[in-house]
């Protein structure tokens, strides 16, 4: 039996995220992010994790603004062959909350609970936010400091958190 295909995930930080989040109001930003995402797809990437946090060099002061949400949606609509992973944490709340307020969220947007903000810091708790999981109807994942020494415990803890939230 052949192994399952690998689905590469690029992690966008800094200027790439800033361009993505400004793409509906700035043509140069739209051109830059569209060109880069097309290159990623050509290189074999099918998933893009958007690390919209200050520690990753992103201007976070406008995450909840309508133009930022529209920019995110514009970009995901322009790149339907890519899956966009929204990092869900306290800092990105304005972004993911704004996305969840949309009547119809595109199928190529999924969410990742990651309070470590991509730093690899081990989580002390895992989100059980029922409003988020049950209302989003989206694939949701967990991340943050998962390594060989703790992967078994993390798997058990995240299964429990998902069940407590009403997810599967």
């Amino acid at each position: 039996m052949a192994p399952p295909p690998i689905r590469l995930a690029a992690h966008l930080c800094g200027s790439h995220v800033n361009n993505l989040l400004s793409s509906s109001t700035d043509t140069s930003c739209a051109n830059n992010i569209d060109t880069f995402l097309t290159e990623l797809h050509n290189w074999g990437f099918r998933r893009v994790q958007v690390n919209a946090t200050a520690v990753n060099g992103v201007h976070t002061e406008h995450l909840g603004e309508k133009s930022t949400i529209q920019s995110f949606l514009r970009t995901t609509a322009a790149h339907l062959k890519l899956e966009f992973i929204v990092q869900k944490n306290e800092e990105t709340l304005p972004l993911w909350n704004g996305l969840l307020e949309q009547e119809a969220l595109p199928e190529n947007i999924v969410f990742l609970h990651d309070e470590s903000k991509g730093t690899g810091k081990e989580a002390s708790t895992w989100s059980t936010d029922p409003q988020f999981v049950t209302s989003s109807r989206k694939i949701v994942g967990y991340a943050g400091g998962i390594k060989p020494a703790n992967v078994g415990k993390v798997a058990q803890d995240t299964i429990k958190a998902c069940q407590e939230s009403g997810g599967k």
Side-chain angles (χ1 to χ4, degrees):
M1 178 167 40
I6 295 174
R7 292 178 44 200
L8 297 175
H11 288 231
L12 298 188
C13 301
S15 64
H16 296 301
V17 176
N18 290 328
N19 284 335
L20 186 155
L21 298 177
S22 299
S23 64
S24 70
T25 58
D26 185 321
T27 305
S28 176
C29 288
N31 290 337
N32 288 339
I33 194 60
D34 288 343
T35 298
F36 186 66
L37 292 172
T38 299
E39 287 176 347
L40 287 175
H41 186 268
N42 291 341
W43 295 331
F45 289 90
R46 298 298 179 261
R47 305 175 83 211
V48 178
Q49 181 171 319
V50 180
N51 296 324
T53 59
V55 72
N56 287 294
V58 175
H59 306 299
T60 60
E61 59 275 1
H62 303 293
L63 287 182
E65 292 182 7
K66 185 176 180 178
S67 64
T68 300
I69 304 303
Q70 291 308 309
S71 291
F72 196 97
L73 294 170
R74 183 216 69 86
T75 302
T76 60
H79 298 278
L80 294 173
K81 292 181 179 181
L82 292 173
E83 179 179 69
F84 289 81
I85 304 164
V86 179
Q87 195 181 59
K88 180 190 178 289
N89 54 55
E90 188 66 32
E91 187 176 2
T92 62
L93 185 146
L95 176 62
W96 59 260
N97 195 46
L99 290 169
L100 288 176
E101 289 174 353
Q102 302 303 303
E103 235 176 84
L105 202 56
E107 289 296 316
N108 63 336
I109 297 176
V110 299
F111 297 88
L112 178 68
H113 294 281
D114 186 3
E115 283 300 332
S116 78
K117 301 174 181 82
T119 65
K121 181 182 173 197
E122 192 171 336
S124 58
T125 61
W126 300 97
S127 177
T128 59
D129 181 350
Q131 178 273 332
F132 175 75
V133 175
T134 59
S135 69
S136 70
R137 300 173 310 280
K138 303 303 291 176
I139 295 170
V140 176
Y142 293 88
I146 303 170
K147 49 191 163 265
N150 69 356
V151 70
K153 181 175 179 343
V154 167
Q156 290 174 347
D157 291 348
T158 56
I159 288 169
K160 183 179 175 186
C162 190
Q163 290 169 340
E164 289 175 9
S165 73
K168 296 178 183 176

